[in-house]
């Protein structure tokens, strides 16, 4: 067939991993199909829109709700690793689904903006965060050599399932409106019922594959005092965090990555409002469907591109380079959408934004695997604190800016999101170039010194 032994071996490895781990992909899909932010955040604007109008919720309060969602989605991810080690992925998946369902029920019966913040911002955000990181952990364990491809495949099928969600929700809203439900209470309850599929995903979560994770128990652990290892591990973790924080490359990477991720999440939540402010309110569900359909097309190619030999041979940090490219593409797309009032152009912008957000979503955590491989777990864990901070700051500033200026077309928010991302990306690329130049200068001086000797 003209295949080299390396390529043939890689194909066999991919086949073996997918043959043995397909149940895990099915479990991840069931867990996340109704909790994927690319589906849930745009749908929240449609589901909760009538309640926002009744409660006279300001743009700042809506932005804070999205900020709380992103904050708790990231803060709980810090505890997923220890929870998985202590109780297993199945337990974490069960708790994640329980939080999401209970949060949606609270949103359904809510009679104030504060309850929506608690139900959607805190509880649903917690459930989505637990589910997302838990899926990453278990997929990475069962697909150690093809994590990007496996995760991209799972997200593709998640979005395929999500294609029907906006249209089903739109039909439910129309049906229950005829029954006198003008606040979407029953529609939200039905969505909560659909989310119970996550319990089926939890049941399918199988134990860790052999050789991947060896638990420490009384038979395998060295005989030592109970308090001593905990103290040493804590001190070691603090030292690792301090070492990362002293690194300008890490701080800049964490700040820019976290800020761009928060901007992406907030922009996705604005899609229905963007359609409404441009007098296309009746097309909001269709716009969300177009966004999800574009995600379906983009996730698998983005996963393949991240693992491709082309990027590995041309870039020192392939996943970071792909992430920056997608960030720049999203910045330009947001700016394009802010200037358009034509529905055709809005569709084009939505498709492009879906393509770029899919690349960002897959690679946002893998950036640290690229740049800080030896400290990957600590780097990702510490970055979640940065994400929590920017989740609240970015969304609050964008929402408050809209309320302050009275821009009903969200123009100020969109310009703020695109402008902030653009400036931060320039700083990130600049710091990367400085590090590259510094490394080359050191290498040249070392070669020169060696030649003189």
């Amino acid at each position: 067939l003209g295949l080299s032994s390396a390529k043939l071996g890689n194909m066999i490895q991919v086949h073996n991993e997918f043959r043995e781990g397909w149940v895990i992909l099915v479990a991840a899909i069931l867990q996340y199909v109704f909790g994927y932010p690319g589906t849930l955040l745009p749908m929240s604007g449609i589901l909760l829109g009538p309640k926002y109008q009744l409660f006279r919720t300001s743009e700042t309060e809506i932005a804070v709700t999205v900020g709380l969602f992103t904050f708790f989605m990231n803060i709980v991810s810090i505890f997923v690793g220890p929870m998985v080690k202590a109780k297993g992925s199945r337990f974490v998946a069960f708790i994640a689904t329980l939080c999401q369902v209970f949060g949606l029920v609270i949103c359904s019966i809510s009679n104030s903006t504060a309850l929506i913040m608690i139900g959607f911002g805190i509880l649903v955000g917690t459930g989505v965060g637990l589910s997302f990181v838990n899926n990453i952990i278990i997929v990475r364990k069962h697909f150690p050599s093809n994590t990007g491809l496996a995760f991209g495949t799972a997200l593709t099928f998640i979005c395929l399932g999500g294609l029907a969600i906006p249209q089903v929700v739109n039909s439910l809203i129309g049906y229950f409106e005829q029954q006198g439900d003008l606040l979407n209470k029953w529609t939200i309850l039905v969505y909560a019922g659909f989310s119970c599929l996550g319990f089926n995903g939890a049941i399918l979560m199988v134990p860790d594959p052999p050789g991947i994770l060896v638990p420490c128990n009384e038979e395998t652990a060295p005989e030592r005092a109970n308090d001593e290892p905990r103290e040493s591990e804590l001190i070691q973790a603090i030292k690792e965090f301090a070492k990362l924080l002293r690194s300008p490359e890490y701080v800049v990477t964490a700040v820019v990555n976290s800020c761009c991720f928060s901007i992406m999440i907030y922009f996705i939540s604005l899609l229905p409002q963007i359609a409404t402010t441009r007098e296309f309110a009746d097309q909001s569900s269709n716009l969300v469907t177009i966004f999800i359909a574009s995600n379906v097309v983009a996730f698998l190619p983005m996963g393949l591109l991240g693992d491709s030999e082309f990027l590995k041979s041309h870039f020192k940090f392939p996943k970071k380079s792909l992430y920056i490219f997608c960030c720049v593409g999203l910045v330009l797309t947001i700016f394009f959408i802010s200037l358009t009032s034509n529905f055709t152009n809005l569709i084009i912008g939505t498709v492009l934004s879906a393509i770029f957000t899919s690349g960002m979503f897959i690679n946002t955590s893998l950036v640290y695997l690229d740049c800080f491989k030896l400290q990957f777990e600590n780097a990702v864990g510490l970055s979640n604190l940065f994400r929590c901070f920017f989740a609240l700051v970015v969304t609050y500033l964008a929402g408050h800016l809209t309320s302050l200026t009275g821009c009903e077309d969200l123009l100020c928010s969109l310009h703020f999101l695109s402008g902030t991302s653009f400036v931060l990306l320039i700083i990130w690329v600049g710091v990367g170039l400085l590090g590259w130049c510094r490394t080359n200068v050191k290498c040249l001086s070392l070669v020169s010194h060696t030649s003189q000797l």
Side-chain angles (χ1 to χ4, degrees):
L1 296 175
L3 293 174
S4 65
S5 58
K7 288 184 178 180
L8 185 61
N10 185 53
M11 289 174 63
I12 294 173
Q13 189 175 33
V14 171
H15 174 266
N16 290 337
E17 287 185 0
F18 274 83
R19 184 187 62 188
E20 297 171 2
W22 67 270
V23 175
I24 294 300
L25 289 184
V26 173
I29 291 165
L30 292 174
Q31 260 283 297
Y32 214 47
V33 65
F34 289 99
Y36 169 56
T39 302
L40 186 58
L41 282 173
M43 293 311 304
S44 69
I46 298 173
L47 291 170
L48 301 174
K51 285 181 177 283
Y52 285 148
Q53 291 180 1
L54 178 66
F55 305 150
R56 296 181 179 179
T57 307
S58 67
E59 288 294 333
T60 303
E61 290 172 325
I62 295 174
V64 168
T65 303
V66 177
L68 285 171
F69 175 93
T70 313
F71 176 86
F72 280 92
M73 185 177 76
N74 287 291
I75 195 68
V76 298
S77 62
I78 300 173
F79 307 102
V80 174
M83 288 175 66
V84 170
K85 289 181 181 179
K87 296 290 186 178
S89 295
R90 182 175 293 171
F91 173 81
V92 177
F94 181 85
I95 296 298
T97 304
L98 191 65
C99 288
Q100 182 175 333
V101 172
F102 188 50
L104 288 170
V105 171
I106 289 179
C107 289
S108 174
I109 63 176
S110 63
N111 55 9
S112 66
T113 303
L115 278 177
I116 292 178
M117 288 181 177
I118 293 171
F120 185 79
I122 297 177
L123 288 174
V124 177
T126 298
V128 171
L130 290 173
S131 178
F132 175 61
V133 179
N134 185 46
N135 286 336
I136 288 180
I137 290 174
I138 197 167
V139 167
R140 190 183 174 206
K141 286 177 182 176
H142 286 263
F143 298 89
S145 303
N146 300 278
T147 304
L149 177 60
F151 199 55
T153 302
L155 287 174
T156 298
F157 281 97
I158 286 168
C159 290
L160 277 173
L163 276 175
I165 292 176
Q167 304 306 320
V168 172
V169 167
N170 200 32
S171 299
L172 288 171
I173 290 174
Y175 173 77
F176 287 120
E177 279 182 352
Q178 294 177 358
Q179 309 301 316
D181 179 19
L182 301 179
L183 296 179
N184 296 340
K185 292 181 180 179
W186 286 103
T187 305
I188 298 173
L189 279 177
V190 172
Y191 195 97
F194 289 153
S195 299
C196 289
L197 274 176
F199 291 121
N200 295 327
I203 293 171
L204 290 175
M205 294 283 182
V206 297
D208 297 319
I212 298 297
L213 179 64
V214 180
C216 183
N217 52 37
E218 294 179 357
E219 298 178 359
T220 60
E223 296 181 0
R224 50 189 177 182
N226 291 333
D227 295 335
E228 185 180 345
R230 292 180 183 175
E231 183 180 0
S232 63
E233 288 174 8
L234 178 62
I235 294 174
Q236 185 178 3
I238 292 174
K239 288 181 178 179
E240 290 292 335
F241 287 155
K243 183 179 179 180
L244 287 169
L245 290 173
R246 287 195 299 268
S247 168
E249 290 83 4
Y250 175 77
V251 173
V252 172
T253 298
V255 168
V256 180
N257 188 356
S258 303
C259 194
C260 289
F261 184 82
S262 299
I263 287 172
M264 176 194 72
I265 292 292
Y266 183 58
F267 169 73
I268 292 173
S269 72
L270 288 179
L271 282 175
Q273 289 178 261
I274 292 171
T276 302
T277 55
R278 283 152 179 76
E279 300 180 355
F280 304 119
D282 57 333
Q283 299 293 330
S284 295
S285 297
N286 293 330
L287 201 67
V288 175
T289 302
I290 292 169
F291 179 84
I292 299 171
S294 303
N295 270 159
V296 171
V297 176
F299 268 128
L300 193 56
M302 283 293 178
L304 289 169
L305 185 60
D307 293 332
S308 68
E309 291 298 327
F310 174 80
L311 283 183
K312 292 178 182 178
S313 61
H314 287 79
F315 297 96
K316 183 180 179 182
F317 303 117
K319 290 179 172 59
K320 174 185 173 181
S321 302
L322 181 58
Y323 185 80
I324 290 176
F325 171 78
C326 291
C327 287
V328 172
L330 184 62
V331 167
L332 297 176
T333 303
I334 293 175
F335 185 73
F336 171 76
I337 289 177
S338 70
L339 299 179
T340 186
S341 58
N342 181 279
F343 189 66
T344 302
N345 290 338
L346 188 58
I347 291 176
I348 294 172
T350 301
V351 171
L352 291 174
S353 66
I355 293 172
F356 295 128
T357 54
S358 65
M360 292 176 65
F361 207 84
I362 290 175
N363 293 290
T364 181
S365 296
L366 299 179
V367 165
Y368 300 102
L369 186 62
D370 246 7
C371 304
F372 309 95
K373 191 170 186 178
L374 298 179
Q375 300 168 293
F376 172 65
E377 293 183 357
N378 291 323
V380 172
L382 188 59
S383 72
N384 287 316
L385 298 179
F386 287 88
R387 281 191 187 179
C388 292
F389 174 76
F390 286 108
L392 294 176
V393 171
V394 169
T395 52
Y396 174 80
L397 289 177
H400 187 64
L401 190 61
T402 300
S403 300
L404 195 65
T405 57
C407 293
E408 296 182 356
D409 57 356
L410 301 176
L411 191 64
C412 293
S413 288
L414 294 175
H415 283 176
F416 169 76
L417 297 177
S418 59
T420 302
S421 300
F422 185 71
V423 172
L424 289 172
L425 287 170
I426 290 177
I427 294 173
W428 197 11
V429 173
V431 170
L433 289 175
L434 285 175
W436 178 79
C437 292
R438 186 173 58 187
T439 302
N440 283 347
V441 168
K442 287 182 178 179
C443 290
L444 289 174
S445 62
L446 182 63
V447 170
S448 176
H449 180 71
T450 305
S451 62
Q452 289 177 0
L453 293 175

